């Protein structure tokens, strides 16, 4: 109702002022950030009113930059939830608006990158999520800012290699959207020692979401650096083909699509094709994908088979 919206608007203005005072360590600031974080999880009228509070979004960014350690954690959590984007599922239609608002705040990229580089896991995890959202919403501008941040890509890679599962998945998601369609960033990423090993092993040991992003990252690297086609195929004597077979066994449509995209790039090499056909069940899995006639899977699977046929 109009009365409820008016009441919420007044509440948000009070919370905004309290959060803005957080840099001065004012009493109640941390509780205010925590209250907004909880409200961000709500749906319906509360969320709609919250999204209209541009000053509040700005205050949350300021808290992520200048607040106490706890305020940084809660503010990043709130911004990550509000701007959440997921190309494999439903993203709130207003998430782009939130992310554009975050991007417009002075020093937002630098502060979030610093939290990824130096923050606690409780800060770095949501900060990584926010940066993934921003890259998906704003593209090249955010990519360039992060690429120029010393040590940032190396840190993201270390998180993929050794962080907790949630943080690892968010780091993979961020890495994929950084390298997607960007030959310059692919060139930087492939220089990271052990990248092929870590991504290849992720296909066997990760969650389905992590495996999807690992496939997509490998594909992007092969698309923009042809040397990677041979390097990925050669790794551990062609182990990647057996690993990919495990992905088909999951009966997950989006995972299968990522896998067949990767296979299409791998099959561009004659030596890789020889290794591929030795994994008979994988060839059968590609054939089954064609018979199911699920678009665009069956078209990509047909391309893979045509490459195998030579």
């Amino acid at each position: 109702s109009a009365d409820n919206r008016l009441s919420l608007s007044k509440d948000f203005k009070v919370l905004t002022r309290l959060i803005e005072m957080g840099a001065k360590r004012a009493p109640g600031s941390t509780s205010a950030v925590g209250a907004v974080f909880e409200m961000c999880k709500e749906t319906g009228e509360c969320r709609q009113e919250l999204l209209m509070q541009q000053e509040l979004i700005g205050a949350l960014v300021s808290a992520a930059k200048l607040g106490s350690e706890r305020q940084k954690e809660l503010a990043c959590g709130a911004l990550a939830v509000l701007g959440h984007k997921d190309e494999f599922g439903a993203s709130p239609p207003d998430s782009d608006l939130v992310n554009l608002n975050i991007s417009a705040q002075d020093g937002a990229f630098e502060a979030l990158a610093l939290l990824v580089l130096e923050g606690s896991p409780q800060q770095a995890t949501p900060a990584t999520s926010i940066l993934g959202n921003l890259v998906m919403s704003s593209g090249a501008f955010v990519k360039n800012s992060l690429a120029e941040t010393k040590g940032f890509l190396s840190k993201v890679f270390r998180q993929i290699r050794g962080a907790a599962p949630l943080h690892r998945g968010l780091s993979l998601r961020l890495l994929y959207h950084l390298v997607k369609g960007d030959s310059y960033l692919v060139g930087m990423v492939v220089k990271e020692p052990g990248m092929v090993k870590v991504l290849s092993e992720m296909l066997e040991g990760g969650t389905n979401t992590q495996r999807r992003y690992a496939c997509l990252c490998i594909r992007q690297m092969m698309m923009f650096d042809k040397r990677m086609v041979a390097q990925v195929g050669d790794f551990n004597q062609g182990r990647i083909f057996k690993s990919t077979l495990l992905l088909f066994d999951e009966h997950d449509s989006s995972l299968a699509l990522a896998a067949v995209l990767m296979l299409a790039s791998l099959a561009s090499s004659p030596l890789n094709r020889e290794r591929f056909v030795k994994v008979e069940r994988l060839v059968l899995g590609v054939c089954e994908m064609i018979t199911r006639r699920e678009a665009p899977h069956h078209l990509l699977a047909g391309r893979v088979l045509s490459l195998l046929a030579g």
Side-chain angles (χ1 to χ4, degrees):
S1 69
D3 289 341
N4 283 342
R5 285 196 296 274
L6 180 61
S7 176
L8 281 170
S9 180
K10 289 179 179 178
D11 290 342
F12 285 134
K13 282 180 170 55
V14 172
L15 290 168
T16 300
R17 297 295 168 259
L18 282 171
I19 294 170
E20 287 174 340
M21 294 168 65
K24 301 175 183 178
R25 302 295 190 267
S29 294
T30 301
S31 297
V33 182
V36 173
F37 177 46
E38 293 303 320
M39 289 179 182
C40 289
K41 302 174 187 177
E42 299 291 334
T43 57
E45 193 172 11
C46 182
R47 178 182 171 87
Q48 289 304 313
E49 185 61 37
L50 177 55
L51 291 167
M52 295 172 64
Q53 306 297 319
Q54 293 192 24
E55 286 187 28
L56 180 54
I57 302 294
L60 289 171
V61 174
S62 294
K65 291 193 295 184
L66 304 170
S68 67
E69 297 304 303
R70 178 61 174 160
Q71 287 168 12
K72 290 177 180 178
E73 176 187 331
L74 291 168
C76 284
L79 293 170
V81 172
L82 282 176
H84 175 69
K85 291 186 71 66
D86 179 11
E87 69 272 53
F88 299 121
S91 296
D94 42 43
S95 58
D96 281 332
L97 178 64
V98 174
N99 292 321
L100 289 172
N101 196 346
I102 296 170
S103 299
Q105 306 298 320
D106 288 340
F109 302 138
E110 294 85 351
L112 292 166
L114 189 63
L115 288 174
V116 172
L117 287 167
E118 300 178 5
S120 68
Q122 292 76 19
Q123 296 165 349
T125 298
T128 301
S129 179
I130 297 167
L131 288 172
N133 296 337
L134 296 182
V135 172
M136 292 173 70
S137 291
S138 304
F141 179 65
V142 184
K143 286 186 179 186
N144 293 338
S145 298
L146 296 178
E148 292 168 4
T149 302
K150 185 178 180 181
F152 184 80
L153 287 175
S154 295
K155 177 67 173 183
V156 171
F157 177 53
R158 288 198 299 276
Q159 290 171 174
I160 292 170
R161 187 169 51 192
L166 173 60
H167 201 162
R168 189 182 305 134
L170 291 170
S171 298
L172 266 167
R173 169 178 173 259
L174 174 57
L175 179 68
Y176 167 62
H177 288 291
L178 285 172
V179 301
K180 183 180 179 182
D182 195 310
S183 58
Y184 174 70
L185 277 165
V186 166
M188 294 179 67
V189 167
V190 297
K191 293 175 183 175
E192 292 291 336
M195 179 62 77
V196 171
K197 180 177 186 291
V198 170
L199 291 177
S200 297
E201 291 176 348
M202 188 69 69
L203 299 182
E204 296 187 24
T207 65
N208 280 3
T209 298
Q210 291 167 4
R211 290 158 134 186
R212 276 196 299 265
Y213 281 120
C215 284
L216 294 171
C217 285
I218 291 170
R219 176 179 179 255
Q220 288 294 316
M221 291 191 292
M222 290 190 292
M223 286 174 63
F224 288 100
D225 187 336
K226 298 306 179 186
R227 295 170 300 178
M228 293 298 294
V229 176
Q231 193 174 335
V232 172
D234 289 343
F235 175 71
N236 205 0
Q237 298 180 323
R239 178 72 184 178
I240 194 164
F241 296 105
K242 293 180 181 177
S243 301
T244 307
L245 177 59
L246 300 175
L247 308 187
F248 279 60
D249 290 342
E250 292 291 334
H251 305 294
D252 180 318
S253 180
S254 58
L255 180 57
L257 178 58
V260 78
L261 282 166
M262 182 181 69
L263 288 175
S265 293
L266 279 167
S268 64
S269 157
L271 182 56
N272 284 346
R273 289 197 288 270
E274 289 179 21
R275 291 185 170 123
F276 193 151
V277 296
K278 290 178 181 177
V279 186
E280 186 177 344
R281 280 185 58 215
L282 183 57
V283 178
L284 289 173
V286 174
C287 292
E288 288 172 7
M289 194 175 285
I290 294 174
T291 60
R292 284 200 297 270
R293 306 295 294 174
E294 180 182 2
H297 300 56
H298 71 286
L299 299 174
L300 290 164
R303 181 169 172 239
V304 171
L305 284 186
S306 68
L307 285 168
L308 291 180

